[in-house]
Amino acid sequence: SQQGEEDPQALSIQEGENATMNCSYKTSINNLQWYRQNSGRGLVHLILIRSNEREKHSGRLRVTLDTSKKSSSLLITASRAADTASYFCATVNRGAAGNKLTFGGGTRVLVKP
Amino acid sequence: DTEVTQTPKHLVMGMTNKKSLKCEQHMGHRAMYWYKQKAKKPPELMFVYSYEKLSINESVPSRFSPECPNSSLLNLHLHALQPEDSALYLCASSQLDLGFSYNEQFFGPGTRLTVL
């Protein structure tokens, strides 16, 4: 079952603009991860943020985590057409058995050239 | 080699057929996963293997039968599937330490399965 929701479900922006998407979750987590999926392909890991971290950067990506609000955001700066993809947050829940990821519903991002 | 490979890329099968999906990784990962993904939906976990032993089965119907012959290979045997089982089947792997540290997962490109 899905851990939470992503907002917005779809996003259309011009190349060069920033894209922001949000993820909410319901239970205490060990960490939260963001993945990208190009149409009909496998997922690619983007960034992992642990429950004791508040912000993390990787290249043009910035992720924040607010455990008090059970929410995270992913910011892609200076977007490119190649950033067109679906973006999923995924949580590893505290106390969960094994190495189990639970995915949010995803945000479909379209970057127009 | 940081790649997870899956074969076949596409598979069409009838409801009475038996087929297998294959997944391979050479990153030394000791956790391997099967996910099912329907169009415009997130991946749904089916099975987790840890150290070649089945550690999680998400109440998957018995017409799906996983197998982990060794630490590099993961199979999913399919038998008597239903049309609603048509989906993208994704394999993934990750590191796994003794504390079950929760690491990133590496995904294969998937097998697009169509059940007629």
Side-chain angles (χ1 to χ4, degrees), chain A residues 24-92:
Chain A
S24 61
Y25 56 92
K26 297 173 183 172
T27 61
S28 294
I29 62 170
N30 178 287
N31 68 62
L32 186 144
Q33 303 177 30
W34 285 90
Y35 287 81
R36 184 187 75 227
Q37 184 178 32
N38 291 88
S39 181
R41 301 290 293 169
L43 283 75
V44 174
H45 181 266
L46 296 176
I47 200 163
L48 181 154
I49 186 165
R50 301 193 187 282
S51 59
N52 60 353
E53 297 176 310
R54 292 296 168 259
E55 187 170 315
K56 211 161 181 181
H57 297 255
S58 176
R60 293 183 296 112
L61 305 179
R62 173 177 170 254
V63 168
T64 63
L65 179 65
D66 187 336
T67 53
S68 66
K69 295 182 180 177
K70 291 186 168 59
S71 68
S72 174
S73 69
L74 171 66
L75 168 67
I76 305 172
T77 61
S79 63
R80 305 167 181 168
D83 295 328
T84 294
S86 291
Y87 292 82
F88 294 95
C89 67
T91 55
V92 177

Side-chain angles (χ1 to χ4, degrees), chain B residues 12-19 80-81 114-116:
Chain B
V12 179
M13 60 185 292
M15 290 189 284
T16 58
N17 292 158
K18 286 185 181 181
K19 296 287 184 183
L81 294 193
T114 302
V115 182
L116 300 176

Side-chain angles (χ1 to χ4, degrees), chain B residues 19-23 32-36 45-50 52-70 73-79 81 89-92:
Chain B
K19 296 287 184 183
S20 295
L21 310 184
K22 297 186 181 301
C23 173
M32 296 186 76
Y33 312 80
W34 280 115
Y35 291 87
K36 174 183 177 180
L45 183 66
M46 300 174 72
F47 303 104
V48 180
Y49 272 82
S50 305
E52 295 87 67
K53 294 193 189 314
L54 185 65
S55 59
I56 296 178
N57 176 342
E58 292 286 277
S59 302
V60 178
S62 60
R63 59 186 183 268
F64 296 91
S65 176
E67 178 195 20
C68 191
N70 59 54
L73 294 173
L74 186 66
N75 299 321
L76 186 63
H77 302 297
L78 313 173
H79 175 53
L81 294 193
Y89 287 84
L90 295 163
C91 172

Side-chain angles (χ1 to χ4, degrees), chain A residues 1-2 30-31 33 35 37 39-45 48 50 88 92-106 108, chain B residues 9 31 33 35 37 40-45 48 50 55-56 58 88 90 94-96 100-110 112:
Chain A
S1 60
Q2 285 177 230
N30 178 287
N31 68 62
Q33 303 177 30
Y35 287 81
Q37 184 178 32
S39 181
R41 301 290 293 169
L43 283 75
V44 174
H45 181 266
L48 181 154
R50 301 193 187 282
F88 294 95
V92 177
N93 300 339
R94 195 173 294 282
N99 211 5
K100 178 177 174 178
L101 280 178
T102 305
F103 286 88
R108 294 189 304 281
Chain B
K9 291 184 179 178
Y33 312 80
Y35 291 87
Q37 186 179 27
K40 297 187 178 180
K41 295 291 186 182
E44 294 181 359
L45 183 66
V48 180
S50 305
S55 59
I56 296 178
E58 292 286 277
L88 181 68
L90 295 163
S94 73
Q95 292 180 344
L96 186 64
F100 282 88
S101 179
Y102 306 114
N103 299 303
E104 64 183 281
Q105 295 185 15
F106 293 77
F107 283 80
R112 176 74 59 188

